[in-house]
Amino acid sequence: HTTDVNVSVSGGSELTQFMFSNSYRNESTVFPGEFGQSKFSSSLNFSHKSLNNRLRIFLNTAFVFTRNNLPQQDFSSSIT
């Protein structure tokens, strides 16, 4: 089972623009138990330019959090 959710918001004016986005992904496994992996990420992009176009400022940031709860052993090695 896989869940993907993405949300973005952007806007601004002629001089200033921004975009903020979030993403969430959750994957389960075929193994019995509470095994799976989830990931959350967030980013912010911002730009601004002066009225005379001689100065431009850019800011890009990102954050990622991953939770990995996958089996620690190879189940295929026990198959004979």
Side-chain angles (χ1 to χ4, degrees):
H1 180 259
T2 301
T3 302
D4 269 321
V5 178
N6 298 297
V7 176
S8 295
V9 176
S10 63
S13 64
E14 183 180 335
L15 299 177
T16 304
Q17 293 86 38
F18 71 91
M19 183 178 83
F20 179 72
S21 65
N22 283 317
S23 177
Y24 174 76
R25 180 176 179 90
N26 187 37
E27 296 179 47
S28 60
T29 67
V30 296
F31 303 116
E34 295 295 320
F35 296 114
Q37 182 176 13
S38 62
K39 180 179 177 180
F40 172 79
S41 63
S42 182
S43 67
L44 172 66
N45 301 321
F46 173 82
S47 66
H48 178 76
K49 64 181 177 179
S50 63
L51 289 172
N52 61 8
N53 278 334
R54 295 183 69 188
L55 175 67
R56 289 179 179 233
I57 298 172
F58 298 96
L59 172 68
N60 299 311
T61 62
F63 170 79
V64 177
F65 174 78
T66 302
R67 183 185 60 84
N68 184 351
N69 187 25
L70 297 175
Q72 299 298 314
Q73 68 185 48
D74 181 7
F75 290 118
S76 64
S77 64
S78 61
I79 299 174
T80 57

